[in-house]
Amino acid sequence: MAPSRTDEPLPSFTQANNEPYHGPPRNIKNIDAIEFSASLQPKNYNILGTHPDSRILFLDVNILDSSGRDPYRGDVLIERERITRVGTVLNVEELKRDPKVRVFHGRGRTLMSGLGDAHTHFTWNGGDLNRLGELGVEEHTLLTARSAQCYLDSGYTMCFGAASAKDRLDIVIRDAINAGDIPGPRYLANGKEIARRDGDLVPGITAYADGPDEMREVIRHHVDIGVDQIKLSMSGEEITEIRSAQDCYFSDEETAACVDEAHGLGKRLCAHARARDSVKMCVRHGVDVIYHASYIDEEGMDMLEKQKDKHVVAPGINWLIATLHDAAAFGYPNEKAQQVGYQKEYDASIRGLREMHRRGITVLPGGDYGFAWTPHGTYARDLSHFVNLLGFTPMEAIIAATAGVAKLFMRENELGKIKEGFFADSILVDGDPLEDIGCLQDHDRLNVIVINGRVHKAGREEYVAPPIAGQDGGVHPIVPNFPEVKREMQKNY
Ligand SMILES: [Zn+2]
């Protein structure tokens, strides 16, 4: 194989269309077409704790249902864990009078599915990752629980674990969420990322394995302790300065063995794969979820296109952007980021991802929040990046983050849409995300958050029928609603 680190010009993917697009969402067909083998279906987790008599009625909401249909005004009824009526609720007058029904007056606000993140690290600390290895397991468990809650506070109801810093942290937190003990999104847990000894990125949080046999053994261990998927760390990362993002550390033989072992045990795999050759190995051997894919070339793109019903790509694009532009305050200036190669990688990555979107390869948002300059709570930046940089319409970005992540969960028939029979994981947004995708980043505009038919968040004004003080033209001027003032860095948290 030719060396992948190169100063050759990057593939231009000249066919990528950069014209603005206003038609129907283009990514529904490819998301629907994805078919992971039934033998890879994750365990059917459900969240406990929703009262069997619970009923929630959303009145006069703008329903953004993630089916691709334009939003429309209507009412939505939730009974117990699931959505039971959408659009027209037949006995609505009766329900409104029933004191046991929790009524939310939407006043035209947007009701949509909770969001999903395809590359989640609950165990990252928002600081120096190298220190995570030294952090006591008790403290680390608390930190992990806090990130889980932060995702839900941010409107996220589905997260796909992309590596845990310690063996069982992801697993324990997933189980605690499902038991109804702590708040958090639906979660598919991962173990430590598996890397070769000459290819690790963060020593203290890596499961080491060299060669097919050792890799199989580590995978068996992870499956034994209860992970839902396996993480391979195949390529480098420029910030290490010793392992280039253009270099792939895995061999074909190793990758094939990992896929064989994990799939044989009913688990899918995801991979840190920035390098050209790492992307090709993922496609050649069947690593289901490809992270980053920055240096994909023409040949890799063709291979991926042919297998696009078997893979999703989750670029975790915010890491590149924030490392280039938001890291100076943490001692990592733009010049440094450029010097080690992040601008080059960003340029390559944007070109590749736009081309994937054009070719109907499924690209999902989410990724690598929980580093110092990609703080927890800012997850919805990804949707803005998809719109502003990758050529997605706001509707396409929302479909990817909802129905797309539900597909990644292999639960597309009950998660990720505002649809009768689906689980009631929904958010009421003060704003129109199709007009302003950035409004999803503002926690103050996520007025109501419901997961599994249970209200996780709702402000005081949601509990009384209008008109109320502050919204009644000053008739009852008691305590107006002061908007919260936040500093720039806290704005989204
Ligand atoms: Zn990651």
Side-chain angles (χ1 to χ4, degrees):
M1 202 176 281
S4 61
R5 208 185 304 192
T6 174
D7 290 321
E8 300 279 296
L10 299 162
S12 61
F13 299 119
T14 43
Q15 295 172 71
N17 182 2
N18 290 341
E19 294 296 307
Y21 171 81
H22 302 287
R26 293 160 290 187
N27 55 344
I28 292 179
K29 214 174 90 199
N30 49 275
I31 290 171
D32 285 349
I34 290 178
E35 217 179 317
F36 299 115
S37 158
S39 65
L40 302 175
Q41 181 76 41
K43 223 163 134 184
N44 188 22
Y45 299 107
N46 282 313
I47 301 178
L48 304 179
T50 303
H51 195 283
D53 297 332
S54 164
R55 279 176 297 169
I56 301 172
L57 178 62
F58 282 97
L59 292 172
D60 188 27
V61 285
N62 203 29
I63 301 164
L64 201 173
D65 67 6
S66 290
S67 72
R69 175 178 174 182
D70 284 336
Y72 58 99
R73 290 290 266 266
D75 305 329
V76 172
L77 179 66
I78 294 166
E79 295 178 280
R80 204 167 176 172
E81 292 105 349
R82 291 182 191 257
I83 298 167
T84 51
R85 290 281 178 273
V86 178
T88 308
V89 177
L90 293 176
N91 51 339
V92 70
E93 290 306 323
E94 196 185 312
L95 289 165
K96 275 159 76 174
R97 281 195 305 272
D98 187 338
K100 288 196 202 132
V101 177
R102 180 170 282 181
V103 179
F104 292 114
H105 297 267
R107 299 187 298 276
R109 287 175 288 176
T110 303
L111 187 77
M112 57 185 281
S113 163
L115 300 168
D117 184 295
H119 179 146
T120 301
H121 297 297
F122 279 171
T123 61
W124 279 196
N125 56 346
D128 183 357
L129 232 53
N130 290 299
R131 303 292 302 277
L132 279 181
E134 305 157 26
L135 189 63
V137 71
E138 297 85 354
E139 288 86 348
H140 209 158
T141 309
L142 289 171
L143 183 154
T144 307
R146 204 173 61 193
S147 326
Q149 166 152 6
C150 187
Y151 267 97
L152 189 52
D153 289 343
S154 310
Y156 280 72
T157 56
M158 294 175 282
C159 289
F160 187 90
S164 165
K166 289 185 173 67
D167 260 3
R168 292 179 63 247
L169 283 175
D170 258 22
I171 294 161
V172 165
I173 294 300
R174 174 200 65 200
D175 293 348
I177 294 168
N178 292 337
D181 286 340
I182 62 168
R186 297 182 194 278
Y187 196 54
L188 291 177
N190 214 318
K192 284 185 184 169
E193 58 182 30
I194 301 171
R196 286 180 49 88
R197 285 176 183 77
D198 61 0
D200 61 342
L201 301 178
V202 187
I205 59 173
T206 300
Y208 289 100
D210 291 330
D213 293 343
E214 222 181 325
M215 287 181 181
R216 285 179 185 272
E217 196 182 312
V218 172
I219 289 172
R220 281 196 296 272
H221 165 68
H222 282 164
V223 175
D224 277 349
I225 61 173
V227 302
D228 297 301
Q229 59 267 347
I230 298 293
K231 170 74 177 290
L232 308 179
S233 182
M234 297 175 69
S235 75
E237 177 70 50
E238 304 300 5
I239 203 164
T240 64
E241 295 188 38
I242 48 168
R243 314 225 190 280
S244 168
Q246 293 193 68
D247 289 342
C248 174
Y249 296 90
F250 271 52
S251 69
D252 272 300
E253 201 192 0
E254 287 168 332
T255 312
C258 287
V259 174
D260 181 61
E261 190 68 33
H263 282 185
L265 295 167
K267 304 296 172 197
R268 289 176 294 172
L269 306 92
C270 54
H272 175 89
R274 298 192 181 278
R276 180 193 72 189
D277 297 341
S278 61
V279 179
K280 288 183 192 173
M281 280 183 203
C282 286
V283 180
R284 200 176 294 130
H285 304 293
V287 175
D288 312 271
V289 182
I290 304 173
Y291 290 143
H292 314 307
S294 310
Y295 285 107
I296 190 168
D297 66 359
E298 296 272 6
E299 188 190 32
M301 189 70 77
D302 291 342
M303 289 167 65
L304 184 55
E305 187 181 9
K306 280 199 195 100
Q307 296 288 324
K308 65 184 176 182
D309 58 342
K310 292 274 173 262
H311 298 274
V312 305
V313 174
I317 190 80
N318 185 59
W319 164 254
L320 298 180
I321 295 160
T323 302
L324 280 162
H325 302 293
D326 302 333
F330 301 89
Y332 202 74
N334 176 265
E335 305 78 64
K336 179 72 187 171
Q338 300 234 22
Q339 178 221 317
V340 302
Y342 276 110
Q343 186 68 48
K344 179 180 173 187
E345 181 174 354
Y346 169 83
D347 293 340
S349 161
I350 296 293
R351 264 179 284 207
L353 293 165
R354 293 186 75 99
E355 177 68 4
M356 287 178 206
H357 185 44
R358 192 188 74 78
R359 295 198 195 190
I361 293 162
T362 298
V363 182
L364 299 181
D368 277 333
Y369 291 87
F371 291 87
W373 45 87
T374 60
H376 282 294
T378 62
Y379 320 113
R381 282 186 69 167
D382 252 73
L383 282 92
S384 295
H385 297 327
F386 270 48
V387 171
N388 299 331
L389 305 169
L390 304 189
F392 280 60
T393 65
M395 183 64 103
E396 288 168 347
I398 288 168
I399 284 170
T402 54
V405 177
K407 174 63 98 170
L408 178 59
F409 266 60
M410 296 179 73
R411 294 178 76 179
E412 67 273 21
N413 294 322
E414 53 182 6
L415 297 179
K417 286 182 184 157
I418 301 296
K419 200 172 160 186
E420 290 173 7
F422 276 50
F423 278 102
D425 298 354
S426 15
I427 55 178
L428 183 69
V429 183
D430 183 14
D432 179 1
L434 298 184
E435 284 295 316
D436 170 21
I437 191 75
C439 75
L440 294 170
Q441 294 178 50
D442 185 349
H443 292 192
D444 292 343
R445 293 169 78 173
L446 306 176
N447 293 158
V448 180
I449 298 172
V450 172
I451 185 161
N452 204 46
R454 226 163 82 175
V455 177
H456 169 69
K457 173 189 177 183
R460 142 189 98 86
E461 59 267 42
E462 307 297 345
Y463 288 98
V464 284
I468 59 165
Q471 294 172 7
D472 58 357
V475 180
H476 300 90
I478 305 168
V479 185
N481 279 333
F482 289 113
E484 209 180 331
V485 178
K486 293 177 183 170
R487 292 174 187 280
E488 189 59 26
M489 277 308 284
Q490 299 173 312
K491 206 168 67 186
N492 301 315
Y493 186 56

